[in-house]
Amino acid sequence: MHNTHPLRRSLLATALAAALLAAPAAQAGVTDADIVNDAKTNGDVVSFGLGTQGQRFSPMTQINTKTVKNLVPAWSMSFGGEKQRGQESQPVIHNGKMFVTASYSRLFAIDAKSGKKLWKYEHRLPDGIMPCCDVINRGAALYGDLVIFGTLDAQLVALNQNTGKVVWKEKVGDYAAGYSLTAAPIIAKGKLITGVSGGEFGIVGRVDARDPLTGKLVWTRPTVEGHMGYIVQNGEKVENGISGTTNATWPGDLWQTGGAATWNGATYDPETNLIFAGTGNPAPWNSHLRPGDNLFSSSTVAIDADSGKIVWHYQNTPHDGWDFDGVNEFVSFDYKDPQTGKLIKAGGKADRNGFFFVNDRTNGKLLGAYPFLKKITWATGYDMSTGRPIYTPDGRPGNPADEGDGKKGKVVFSAPSFLGGKNQQQMAYSPQTGLFYIPANEWAMDIWNEPVAYKKGAAYLGAGFTIKPLNDDHIGVLRALDPASGKIVWENKNYAPLWGGVLTTAGGLVFYGTPEGYLKGVDAKTGKELWSFQTGTGIVAPPVTWEQDGEQMIAVVTGWGGAVPLWGGDVAKRVNYLEQGGSVWVFKLHKS
């Protein structure tokens, strides 16, 4: 062994001291512990859903049923430019900075106290991108000193939180085949978890886990039966088992372009180490072309965070023929069985098909299936012994092959419409009240099937439709639901569809936005409206709350758009007067 020169020893000691002094700064980055504890901490919002379980509940009480009347704007920042369109992003906040995505794959860093723009990243999008339902993005993930988001050309981009400089980029799919990214990524046990969008183009849904510091793949799990999963070991992809059993529920070869896109992201429960992802419709929409249940489409899949293997699944709509994507978030919560008093580890999901599902989150067992809409025509309920829907006779759109010219199947009137009883707009759960707060929509459609064949990059529907309102006075309804009984405790009607998410707090409040431009604060127990503010454009994003310099703040992104004006048929006429926009609004209590 060689002796170290005295000068070198001195330099090493100096370097070590400098490293130790720098250690606290390194810890200022977002850690796994910060993410796991996000729901319990007030000074930041470091995950989509205010915690990976997705409850969207804050323990803060400064803004409450008595003080909310004093809520006033603190600042507002415009995204600017001509790239308005739908703004569905949830802000994340850390170390005094707010990070928010915007339409056309943009990301802004903002001073959370003043609203000053710190930097902006605009992703260069190629011609030919094929987003299904507006050029939206739902948010970013924070990890270490990185902020990470997905783009409409199916890339993941990681930027330095302080400078906005790109640290890494990874291609996730072929945008020319219809792949895109719209969901906010999440961090689960040190892994970056993402899904894919593009079910209307015959892509194959999947959930990916990556190293958030490098973007390199850790494992991938397809959500269409018959496709192989992989885990990366020593830099090599190692097959990790086929999802399901090839052709068991997908006879023929349509499983190869089977859809089941995971376009609304995922939640994660550290207690069970499970990632819960909702999956979209099977492709094509024409269900007569693909006999069988078509796993794992229109389902909830529970994936082991370490191995990427499916631990359990529950199919909300087997053999979906109505575009009832099951992508709605699966929210972990605990409740006492009303009969036995036993504490149950559960998850709740308000599905596009109009039913609210409660599953045991450890094994997927169906514990409850309750309608949260007044009108559902495709099924009368669920058989609790089998977990399967009780289909309505003649409720499925007809087979074109049964008709004379084979060009159009029998038209059926169906409720809800394919835009769903609840779509991308996020619900909230309050452990304080034991209630879920669901931004629901009451509407219907005429729907029919048509012949279709897969062509790369082309719409792969095989169906036609016209969406219709069911009531003259409302489409949207915010409903408070008891998951133990399925009882609707209260409801607030809204003329236009509700398309923005919900926040609930220990201050006894529920906040949500409307397409008409109002951010509202209502009593969590009764639904009584206590406060509202007109933002000037429709709200299709979820609010968040955090503490800044001892003051509780509320933030929401505003900007009308999303799927409703693009796909809404007769419903779109109710909202065609609304102006587009693109801003972040932040509120706090007025000091007298």
Side-chain angles (χ1 to χ4, degrees), residues 14-334:
T14 303
L16 179 61
L20 290 172
L21 286 171
Q27 291 301 309
V30 176
T31 66
D32 291 297
D34 292 333
I35 293 165
V36 168
N37 294 318
D38 195 24
K40 302 173 185 175
T41 56
N42 296 341
D44 53 23
V45 177
V46 294
S47 63
F48 189 77
L50 282 75
T52 59
Q53 292 180 321
Q55 292 187 353
R56 298 189 174 275
F57 171 81
S58 168
M60 281 186 280
T61 58
Q62 189 180 102
I63 300 171
N64 54 52
T65 54
K66 291 183 173 61
T67 62
V68 69
K69 65 179 183 293
N70 298 320
L71 205 58
V72 296
W75 56 262
S76 178
M77 194 213 79
S78 171
F79 297 143
E82 298 176 356
K83 297 179 177 179
Q84 303 289 32
R85 302 290 290 267
Q87 311 294 347
E88 295 183 359
S89 177
Q90 179 217 288
V92 284
I93 301 109
H94 175 68
N95 200 24
K97 299 182 184 70
M98 174 184 288
F99 303 94
V100 59
T101 59
S103 56
Y104 290 99
S105 302
R106 294 174 291 166
L107 177 67
F108 292 80
I110 307 166
D111 184 300
K113 184 175 181 179
S114 67
K116 177 185 176 182
K117 183 179 74 175
L118 302 174
W119 54 260
K120 175 176 68 171
Y121 170 79
E122 292 195 67
H123 188 70
R124 181 172 292 182
L125 291 167
D127 294 333
I129 57 170
M130 292 178 286
C132 150
C133 307
D134 206 0
V135 288
I136 58 90
N137 188 282
R138 297 188 182 91
L142 300 178
Y143 195 73
D145 62 358
L146 300 179
V147 53
I148 309 163
F149 81 118
T151 68
L152 290 169
D153 62 345
Q155 293 191 58
L156 285 166
V157 182
L159 303 107
N160 182 280
Q161 292 177 17
N162 296 315
T163 65
K165 299 295 184 184
V166 174
V167 176
W168 58 258
K169 282 184 185 179
E170 285 290 328
K171 181 180 177 181
V172 172
D174 180 5
Y175 72 86
Y179 283 89
S180 61
L181 293 178
T182 54
I186 65 166
I187 302 292
K189 207 173 180 181
K191 300 177 184 69
L192 178 73
I193 307 300
T194 58
V196 290
S197 302
E200 269 58 64
F201 299 96
I203 62 98
V204 175
R206 68 179 198 267
V207 177
D208 290 342
R210 295 174 183 272
D211 182 336
L213 298 179
T214 66
K216 299 307 179 186
L217 192 69
V218 176
W219 55 253
T220 183
R221 173 51 50 192
T223 52
V224 177
E225 183 179 72
H227 292 268
M228 181 64 72
Y230 295 89
I231 190 166
V232 178
Q233 295 177 344
N234 300 319
E236 299 291 329
K237 282 186 178 181
V238 178
E239 291 185 351
N240 195 21
I242 292 174
S243 298
T245 303
T246 305
N247 286 142
T249 65
W250 286 82
D253 61 2
L254 289 191
W255 59 274
Q256 296 180 38
T257 50
T262 47
W263 59 261
N264 208 27
T267 58
Y268 171 66
D269 176 38
E271 206 171 354
T272 58
N273 196 36
L274 292 176
I275 295 160
F276 303 109
T279 63
N281 59 284
W285 289 18
N286 184 344
S287 62
H288 300 280
L289 297 175
R290 42 174 175 77
D293 283 353
N294 311 136
L295 287 176
F296 296 88
S297 66
S298 300
S299 300
T300 300
V301 293
I303 301 173
D304 181 89
D306 295 320
S307 68
K309 292 184 178 180
I310 295 176
V311 175
W312 62 258
H313 74 275
Y314 175 75
Q315 191 166 33
N316 305 88
T317 314
H319 196 214
D320 181 3
W322 304 268
D323 187 36
F324 288 152
D325 291 41
V327 296
N328 312 81
E329 67 278 13
F330 184 86
V331 177
S332 297
F333 73 107
D334 298 336

Side-chain angles (χ1 to χ4, degrees), residues 487-543:
K487 178 184 176 184
I488 303 295
V489 177
W490 57 258
E491 66 177 34
N492 286 347
K493 297 177 181 177
N494 195 75
Y495 180 72
L498 292 180
W499 210 253
V502 180
L503 166 73
T504 187
T505 74
L509 295 168
V510 173
F511 290 93
Y512 69 105
T514 73
E516 292 90 344
Y518 288 98
L519 180 63
K520 297 186 176 187
V522 304
D523 189 300
K525 293 180 180 178
T526 67
K528 181 182 178 182
E529 187 174 313
L530 302 175
W531 173 86
S532 70
F533 180 85
Q534 173 57 255
T535 66
T537 180
I539 299 174
V540 292

Side-chain angles (χ1 to χ4, degrees), residues 393-544:
D394 299 322
R396 184 179 296 273
N399 188 351
D402 294 339
E403 305 302 321
D405 59 7
K407 293 182 178 179
K408 182 177 180 179
K410 179 184 176 184
V411 179
V412 298
F413 174 83
S414 186
S417 80
F418 74 86
L419 288 177
K422 190 183 86 66
N423 199 284
Q424 65 85 27
Q425 63 271 26
Q426 302 82 13
M427 65 183 179
Y429 171 76
S430 169
Q432 190 178 70
T433 64
L435 300 177
F436 277 89
Y437 302 98
I438 305 169
N441 288 305
E442 298 274 3
W443 43 19
M445 62 182 171
D446 287 333
I447 182 170
W448 59 90
N449 286 319
E450 301 167 347
V452 68
Y454 174 77
K455 181 181 179 182
K456 179 183 174 180
Y460 190 41
L461 300 186
F465 48 82
T466 303
I467 297 181
K468 301 179 176 183
L470 288 169
N471 305 285
D472 292 334
D473 65 333
H474 74 281
I475 295 173
V477 194
L478 183 69
R479 290 195 166 115
L481 181 142
D482 181 346
S485 65
K487 178 184 176 184
I488 303 295
V489 177
W490 57 258
E491 66 177 34
N492 286 347
K493 297 177 181 177
N494 195 75
Y495 180 72
L498 292 180
W499 210 253
V502 180
L503 166 73
T504 187
T505 74
L509 295 168
V510 173
F511 290 93
Y512 69 105
T514 73
E516 292 90 344
Y518 288 98
L519 180 63
K520 297 186 176 187
V522 304
D523 189 300
K525 293 180 180 178
T526 67
K528 181 182 178 182
E529 187 174 313
L530 302 175
W531 173 86
S532 70
F533 180 85
Q534 173 57 255
T535 66
T537 180
I539 299 174
V540 292
V544 297

